[in-house]
Amino acid sequence: MARRPTAGSDKPTRRLSGDFTPTSAWPHIEEFVESGGNINIGPIAPIKCAAVAADPHGMIAALVRRNGESFNDLVHRLDHAVDMAMNHDAPTDEINKR
């Protein structure tokens, strides 16, 4: 589970400093990647397709692609999960709860 840095920590935060203007349909993913996070989408055996967002602090979102779910819908769900983790301290983990 991802943890927020404590006050006075010298670890970087998940938020960008200054103004950020998204240029894509997935503003939270874009901001997360610009701030040093990474996104991986693909198989994680035995899962056929998963979407994971992580940074040096740990994993903040892990989604399993649902039956019949389009790739676009998965990425939109990931964008929402990244928003929930970054801005509302509510990480999503659909992989480890299986």
Side-chain angles (χ1 to χ4, degrees):
M1 175 183 284
R3 295 184 182 184
R4 297 259 183 219
T6 58
S9 171
D10 56 349
K11 289 183 180 180
T13 64
R14 288 196 171 101
R15 303 294 296 167
L16 289 176
S17 58
D19 293 328
F20 176 77
T21 303
T23 61
S24 74
W26 308 289
H28 305 103
I29 290 173
E30 185 179 355
E31 181 178 14
F32 180 67
V33 170
E34 291 292 327
S35 68
N38 67 63
I39 303 296
N40 291 295
I41 301 174
I44 301 174
I47 300 164
K48 289 183 181 181
C49 186
V52 178
D55 68 7
H57 302 284
M59 182 179 69
I60 66 164
L63 305 178
V64 175
R65 189 173 185 181
R66 299 170 179 159
N67 289 335
E69 182 175 40
S70 71
F71 184 82
N72 194 48
D73 288 344
L74 173 63
V75 176
H76 278 292
R77 276 199 315 125
L78 182 61
D79 188 66
H80 177 71
V82 168
D83 173 39
M84 294 303 294
M86 288 176 51
N87 299 315
H88 306 284
D89 199 26
T92 302
D93 188 350
E94 296 177 357
I95 293 176
N96 294 308
K97 72 175 191 177
R98 296 178 68 134

